[in-house]
Structure formats: C-alpha cells, structure tokens
Amino acid sequence: MRSRRLEEQIFKGLMIASLTLVLVVLAGIIFITIYKGAPALTLSMLTETPKGGYYLGKEGGIANAIVGSLYLGLGASFCALLLSVPVAFGLQKEYTGWRFASFTKLVLDVLWGIPSIVYGAFGFVVMAYFGLRASLLGGIIVLTLLMLPIMVRSMEEVIRTIPLELKEVSYALGTTRIETTMAVVLRQALPGMVTAVLLAFGRGIGDAASILFTAGYTDYIPRSLFDPVASLPLAVFFQIGTPIPEVQERAYASALILLLIVFVVSIVSRILSHRFSKHIVR
Amino acid sequence: MPHISLNNLSISYGNHKVLHEVSVDIPDSQITVIIGPSGCGKTTLLKSLNRLLDLNDDVSVKGNVLIDGVNTYDPKADVLSLRKKLGFLSQRPYPLPMSIYDNIAFGPKVHRLTQEQIVQQIRDLEGRSFQVPERKNGAMDVLVESYLRLAGLWDEVKDRLRTPASRLSIGQQQRLALARALAVEPEAILADEPTSALDPLSAQLIEKQFKFLRNNYTIVVVTHILRQARRIADYVIFLYLGELVEHGPAESFFKSPKDERTRAYISGEIS
Amino acid sequence: MKVRRFKDSLATTFIRASLVFVNAIAFVIAITLFMKTRPILAKTTLSHLLSSTSWHPLRGDFGFFPFIIGTLEVTAIAMILSIPVCLLSAIYLSEYAHGRFRGFVRLVVDILAGIPSVIYGLCGVIAIVPLVRILGQALGSPTTGYSLLAGGIILAIMVSPVITSVALEVFRTIPRAARENSLALGITTWEMVKHVILRSSLHGIIAAIVLGFARAFGETMAVLMVVGNVPKVPLSLFDPAYPLPALIANNYGEMMSIPLYDSALMFAALILMVVVGGFSLGAHLILLKIERRGYV
Ligand SMILES: Nc1ncnc2c1ncn2[C@@H]1O[C@H](COP(=O)(O)OP(=O)(O)O)[C@@H](O)[C@H]1O
Ligand SMILES: [Mg+2]
C-alpha cells in the first residue's frame, strides 16, 4: 500500500512539474517577445515605411510589413472562405456520397499536414511556369492553399455535430437542400465557422515559409496585386539576420506586433463566436 | 381514395430488413396511432411517408406509398410538395436556429407565398375576413399570430416573438414545432412520439391539440405508450418486429384484438 | 417552384464542383512536385540521392543524406523532449485538475498553438542558442549554440501545445463510467490512469504524437533560425545541422540559376510531402477509428 501511494505521489509530482514546465516555457516565449519588443516599439515603427538607410539603423518603420501582412491575410482569408464554405457544406451527405466525402476529408487532412514550405515551393514553381514574379497575388494564392484545409476541416467539424433531426424538421417543411443549408445549417454552424476563419487567418498571417518564395519583400506598400509585398514574419526573419543591433531591435518590435495581431484575432474569434451563438439549438 | 395508403412496403437498412411488406390504408381526418415496442420500425414507417428516410445512408425501399394517389417513391415524384403536404413532428422538438417568429414564417417564406396567398391562407384558417395591418410584413405578422394561437402558444410568447426559439421550454418548443408544421398548410400531420420528451402537462396540451385538429387534418401519431394510444386513437396500427400485426378502429382494436400478439401487447405481457 | 429547384440544382452543382476542385488541388500539388523531380531522378538514382553525403550543387552533385539525417534528428530530439512532458501534462489536466482549471489551460494552450513560428525562432535566437552555447562549453564541446540541440528544443516547445491539446481531447473522450468503475475497485488515480486511461487511449496518443511529429518534421522558420545550417552530418548534439525545410528556404534564390538545382529542391519538398502526408494520413485513419468506436 505504501509503495502504491508513493508511486501515485511521484507521478503526480512529475505531472505537476511537466505542466508547470509547459506553461512556464510558453509564458517565457510571450515574456521574451514583450520584454525585447516593447522598448523598441515606437509610433514611427507602426506608421512609417523604411526610409533610406533603414537597414543600417536609420529612420523608418515597418508599416510596409504590417499593411502587407494584413493584405495577405485578409486576401487569402477571403479567397479561402469562398472556397471552403461550399466544400464544408458539400461534405454533408445530402450532397455527396459517403465514399467521396470520406476520401475528400482524408485528402484535406493530408493537405493540412503538408508543411508550409512545400506550399511555398509549389507556388514558386507554378508562378515560374506562368512567368509571374513574387507578388501580392502569389502570396495570396499560396496562403489560400495553406488556409483552405484548416478552414474546411474546422468548419466541417462543426457542421458534422448538427443533429440530423434538426435538418429533418427543416426538410419536412418541404425545403430544398440549399434552403436547409442556408437557413438551418449555416445559422447553426455560424459561430464555428467564424472561429474557423479567424483560426485560419491567424495561421496564415503568421506563416513565413510559404510566402518567402511567393510574396517577395519590399519597402513599399503594394499598389497592385502584381507588386511584391512585405510581411511581418519575414520582417522579423530578415531583420534578426542583420548584424546591426538597432535593426535587430526592430525585429523584436515586429515580432511583438505580429504576436499582438495573432492574439487579438484569437480573442476576437472567441468573442464573436459567442456573439453569433444566440440562435443555436442544442 | 384515402390520403395515405401503403402497399407492400418493405424497408431495409443495408441488409437489415426492418419493415416487412406493410399494407394499410390510413383513414382521413382521424387520429391514427401506430403502436409497438421500441425498435419495431415505427419511426422508419413514419419517415418513409414523407421520404425523410432519403437522408439516411443505404436505405432501400420496396413497395409503394400512395399519397393522394401519387406514388411517393416514383422517381419523378415531387418530394418538396409531398413533404409540404405532410407536416412532421419529431420525437424531440427541434426549433430551427432562429427566432420564434421566424420559425413560423420560415415555411411560408421558403415556399415564396405572395401577399395575396398569405391573406388567403389566413382567411381559410380563421374562416373570416380580417384587416391586414398597414405595415411591412403585416400579413405575415397576422399569419404567425394565427398559427401560434392555433397551437395554443400565442399567449405565452406574444411578448418575445423575436427571441431565439431555443430559449422556450421543451413543451413550448413542441407546440412551436406544431405551429411551424401547420403554417405550410399540410393535409396530414405525422408525429413521432411527440410527447416522449415532454413533461406530463405539456404532453397533455399536445394531445389536446391533436384532438382539436383531427377534424381538419389526417393525423398519424407514433407512440409506445399504450395509455396515450387509448386516449387519442381513432384508428390503431400495431407493428411488431417490423411486421404489421393488426390494424383497425380503436374501439374494436382494444376491445377485441384478433391476433395473439396484439392481445399480449395490450395486456402488457410483451413490450 | 421551378425557380427553387433551379437554384437548388445550381447550388448543388457548384458545391460538388468545389469538392472536386479541392481534390484536384491536392493532386496538382503532388503531380507538380513529382514532375519537377524527374530530371534529377533521371540523372542519378534514388538511392544515391538518399544516401550520398556529398552536396555540391555546382558540380551537379546532390547528396541528401545530411539533410535527411538533420531533419530526422531535430525531429527526434523534439519528440523525445516533448512527448513525456506533454502526456504527463495532459493526464494531469484530464484526471486530476478541476474542470475550470482544465478549461482555462485548454484555452491558453489553444491560443499558444497559434503563435507564429518566426516568434519561436526569434525566442530561440535570444534565449535557447546562448543557453546551448553555455551548456556546450560546460560539457567540453565548444559550440556557437546554433545547433541540433537548439533546433530540437525550439521544436519541442512549438509542438507541445499541439500534442497536449490533442492528447487531452483523447483522454476526455473516455466515458466517465470507465473511470468510476475502476476507481470503485479501490485503486489509486494513477493506477486507474495506467491501467484504464492509457491503455484505452493508446491509439489516440499515437495520433497526437503523429500530429506533433508531422508539425515538427516540416517546420521551417523556427528551426532554420537556430540550427546553424551546415550541410554536414552532425556528430553531436552541439553540431550544427541542416534540415530539409531549411535547405529549401535558404536556396530558392539560386534555384533557377544552377542546372538541376530546382529539381533537387523539389525533391526535398517531395520528401517532406510524402513523409508528412503519410503520417497525417496515418493519424487521420487512427482518429477516424476512434471516432467510429466512440472511444478506445
Ligand atoms: N439509420 C439507421 N441505420 C440502420 N439501422 C437503423 C437506422 N434507424 C433505425 N434502424 C434500425 O431499424 C429498426 C427500427 O428502428 P425504428 O424505426 O427507429 O424503431 P422505433 O421507432 O419503433 O423504435 C431498429 O432495429 C433500428 O436499430
Ligand atoms: Mg422511434
């Protein structure tokens, strides 16, 4: 009995230590980002684009990267949303046979797993084939591919939990598939779909490897879809790579801005999904 | 010609045959109760009438169901108008994820009723002419009110028509479901154990509604509660292990059952 | 009525087309990568590519062995460090912690899972690399700190929210009755965990690990920033390494200017896709099985 108690105590201790470690380390990541980033964060960082000599530590900011990331993130979220909503709806059995639906889900899971660098490489090859240069458009397309499986799978997960009976009562009124989908399924799944979009947005805006090849980097805010575009993750990456301390500090500030955007999106998604769940039937 | 008649209806899920050659005519303007122990195929039978079974994977249906003389399972059959003809109440009430008002208005809106059709529908329902209020959706407002009154729910919800229907109690939700079904002007109502999720008082209200509606609608109620069947049935269908054992007018069915299994079931020996 | 039907069939067609489209995307990606690797496979054999250690793109000499080893080792270190810690954390959250605390930690972990990888990389440069440098000196193997170990540690931190939250979810699918029945026998919570929880969620734990593995195996930026990027087979934890994703990311600029280089990099991408795709597939099938059975 004593040894059993002892074993229990030992493992419980180990567990508490593990959980503490996980939480402390992750808190450490946030702490470091804030601790290093906050002092370097100035108003001109947010509002100005890089001036001459910026990369030697002179005047300027990273407005180009902030705006660029927002363009990329919003553009790709929009495209991915347009594509993933019909796909997520289409995985219901009213639209697709069981076999094809499971096969598609499997494909989506594989797509989800594909590393973003592979999407980047693929995008680069395709763009080279069509003679496209690194541009906002290229970045948006690749990020769309990256976001698509994330969005579809999380939407589908919500749609799947809708009870069949709920759809039955709607069909029993003589509605068509699309009427039931738009009136019942869409409303019921809306909170989950909002979360899915914002989750994918957060993923996309933080991803560097996929846009490294396809979006390029520039000191200017893009004027058209065919201009190259800067982004926050790449701003962090390039600036930390320079040997000049002032520039490195700007990497910290850029990281902090990126982190803040991601957190805000994450929190907003939780609030919105709560807001939209007013009519949800359980 | 009866509204609903089943001819040699057999249904299987995959290889599992759950209904065996059922043939029966369901009488008009009466309450027909389908009884039988759980798992005997009552829900399946009911959902075969309005083809809700189509939503399940690998269901196969043989034989036919005639609704107003039209075979439901004819590939050319118009499933949408068929379902519109048959109102449906599920075992547990499922309000649609919208407001109380929209739950009722949903059907008429989906079927794209014009202003005139709405006015006509209210007239038919109330049997009198009335004044359409001079505001946007005035006729729809009257329609919603009429059906909520018909289902005996109006007084309880008139002050919160715009709140989510999911906030109603279960009993109120079931009456809302009834009003919602009636609002598309069905000729028959199919109800699958409509009171099994409800408290006794709400159950009583629903039963009262059915008795009140039976003059104008053909009502089919599935139940496994014998006492409920005795209370409301005009006509009884007894299913046992997927087989139609016996059917007939309630009085003779309960007084002098012909089949041994019916007798055993009524006396509570099998359940 | 006609309009409604028309709308329905239009929408249905559109929806089905979009389903076909996503499947097509996957196949286009796979086929493109495959086609792009054909030139290099035509020139050398697959086994030479996989086993040679000589990497001289200008001479047309592409040996992927150091990169493959680098990827495997970084991933292995990450998994060894994170699996026990994450599983123990998940068990604690699932079996010992109060519901409210569990909900709170789950929320925190979910939010943390969304931290972009460059931020992990940055923190690696700031904190982990110097730490590894000090450790290396203390253990008598001088190092810049940009090393296999640093990469492994950063990856371990990165995948920990993933593994913890999937494992927690798997544990929570075990019905309460299974717990009550075994605790009623008078065993301790840990014994219940050992004999009931772990055993019946084995598949789910494997799925959680596989998902973490897939994430780690293909991770680019965070690793790239701390791992040193020297195309040699690392001989110790403190040696630099050069994983495949970093190889692609660092060299895309010259991709088009050296013959066969693009094909070689696409070969790297193909390896990543096949390995990660395969593992995601495995995790998918396992999780599907769990879902079907309810639990276990
Ligand atoms: N979707 C389904 N798939 C497979 N079998 C089913 C399905 N629904 C019901 N069954 C089976 O059909 C039989 C009849 O079910 P049901 O019609 O629901 O019975 P009841 O409503 O009388 O309880 C049962 O044996 C049940 O297991
Ligand atoms: Mg039933």
Side-chain angles (χ1 to χ4, degrees), chain A residues 7-21:
Chain A
E7 192 183 327
E8 164 97 19
Q9 290 306 318
I10 289 174
F11 274 95
K12 197 169 170 190
L14 278 176
M15 287 177 205
I16 294 177
S18 300
L19 184 61
T20 315
L21 180 67

Side-chain angles (χ1 to χ4, degrees), chain B residues 37-44 47 91 192-193 222 224:
Chain B
S38 75
C40 71
K42 305 182 296 294
T43 301
T44 306
K47 287 186 182 168
Q91 188 158 354
D192 186 6
E193 308 198 11
V222 162
H224 67 266

Side-chain angles (χ1 to χ4, degrees), chain A:
Chain A
M1 194 61 211
R2 280 230 352 244
S3 73
R4 286 172 58 197
R5 284 264 161 73
L6 191 66
E7 192 183 327
E8 164 97 19
Q9 290 306 318
I10 289 174
F11 274 95
K12 197 169 170 190
L14 278 176
M15 287 177 205
I16 294 177
S18 300
L19 184 61
T20 315
L21 180 67
V22 170
L23 293 178
V24 164
V25 166
L26 290 171
I29 299 278
I30 295 172
F31 174 76
I32 290 175
T33 312
I34 296 175
Y35 179 77
K36 287 282 198 176
L41 194 61
T42 58
L43 192 63
S44 62
M45 279 289 291
L46 296 175
T47 56
E48 289 173 22
T49 54
K51 303 270 161 58
Y54 172 82
Y55 295 102
L56 300 171
K58 299 240 178 68
E59 304 269 281
I62 50 158
N64 58 330
I66 298 174
V67 174
S69 264
L70 290 178
Y71 279 178
L72 285 167
L74 293 175
S77 299
F78 181 71
C79 296
L81 181 67
L82 283 189
L83 192 52
S84 40
V85 168
V87 175
F89 284 154
L91 289 170
Q92 299 175 94
K93 57 182 156 197
E94 291 101 302
Y95 296 99
T96 323
W98 178 81
R99 261 163 225 287
F100 187 54
S102 348
F103 179 76
T104 308
K105 281 183 212 166
L106 196 140
V107 165
L108 283 164
D109 273 7
V110 173
L111 284 178
W112 180 320
I114 291 181
S116 62
I117 187 81
V118 175
Y119 281 112
F122 166 75
F124 183 68
V125 168
V126 171
M127 284 165 65
Y129 181 81
F130 287 109
L132 273 173
R133 283 173 0 103
S135 59
L136 180 55
L137 181 65
I140 287 179
I141 292 174
V142 171
L143 281 182
T144 302
L145 293 182
L146 183 81
M147 289 179 178
L148 182 68
I150 302 174
M151 270 195 205
V152 176
R153 282 307 258 145
S154 15
M155 285 181 187
E156 192 270 331
E157 233 155 71
V158 192
I159 292 174
R160 193 176 29 174
T161 59
I162 298 177
L164 183 63
E165 288 88 342
L166 180 58
K167 290 198 253 175
E168 277 179 356
V169 299
S170 170
Y171 283 120
L173 293 172
T175 56
T176 62
R177 281 174 293 203
I178 190 67
E179 284 162 355
T180 294
T181 299
M182 298 310 281
V184 177
V185 177
L186 178 63
R187 276 168 202 254
Q188 186 77 1
L190 196 57
M193 292 173 78
V194 170
T195 316
V197 172
L198 290 170
L199 176 76
F201 177 81
R203 251 339 137 64
I205 205 169
D207 196 76
S210 60
I211 53 174
L212 187 60
F213 304 179
T214 50
Y217 200 87
T218 169
D219 286 351
Y220 305 99
I221 290 172
R223 293 255 165 76
S224 86
L225 279 174
F226 302 98
D227 288 346
V229 61
S231 53
L232 278 170
L234 291 182
V236 177
F237 179 58
F238 291 141
Q239 294 178 113
I240 194 71
T242 62
I244 299 163
E246 285 87 356
V247 180
Q248 286 184 354
E249 274 180 16
R250 287 170 179 166
Y252 306 149
S254 313
L256 180 57
I257 297 170
L258 182 58
L259 189 69
L260 287 178
I261 294 179
V262 170
F263 279 178
V264 166
V265 167
S266 182
I267 290 161
V268 165
S269 93
R270 276 153 232 276
I271 294 172
L272 279 186
S273 106
H274 187 73
R275 171 87 44 94
F276 283 125
S277 53
K278 186 173 143 199
H279 283 291
I280 289 270
V281 177
R282 292 214 169 75

Side-chain angles (χ1 to χ4, degrees), chain C residues 206-230:
Chain C
I206 292 174
I209 292 174
V210 169
L211 284 179
F213 173 88
R215 180 90 186 267
F217 196 83
E219 174 50 36
T220 311
M221 297 318 263
V223 184
L224 167 69
M225 288 163 82
V226 299
V227 84
N229 304 324
V230 176

Side-chain angles (χ1 to χ4, degrees), chain B residues 78 80 110-112, chain C residues 1 3-5 7:
Chain B
D78 178 0
L80 300 191
V110 159
H111 290 286
R112 299 171 184 232
Chain C
M1 203 60 176
V3 184
R4 288 175 58 205
R5 275 179 196 290
K7 267 195 176 172

Side-chain angles (χ1 to χ4, degrees), chain C residues 220-265:
Chain C
T220 311
M221 297 318 263
V223 184
L224 167 69
M225 288 163 82
V226 299
V227 84
N229 304 324
V230 176
K232 263 198 242 153
V233 176
L235 299 174
S236 90
L237 283 178
F238 299 102
D239 281 349
Y242 206 163
L244 287 166
L247 171 71
I248 306 174
N250 275 335
N251 296 292
Y252 80 102
E254 296 110 84
M255 205 190 248
M256 291 306 177
S257 48
I258 302 171
L260 283 185
Y261 206 9
D262 60 333
S263 188
L265 293 184

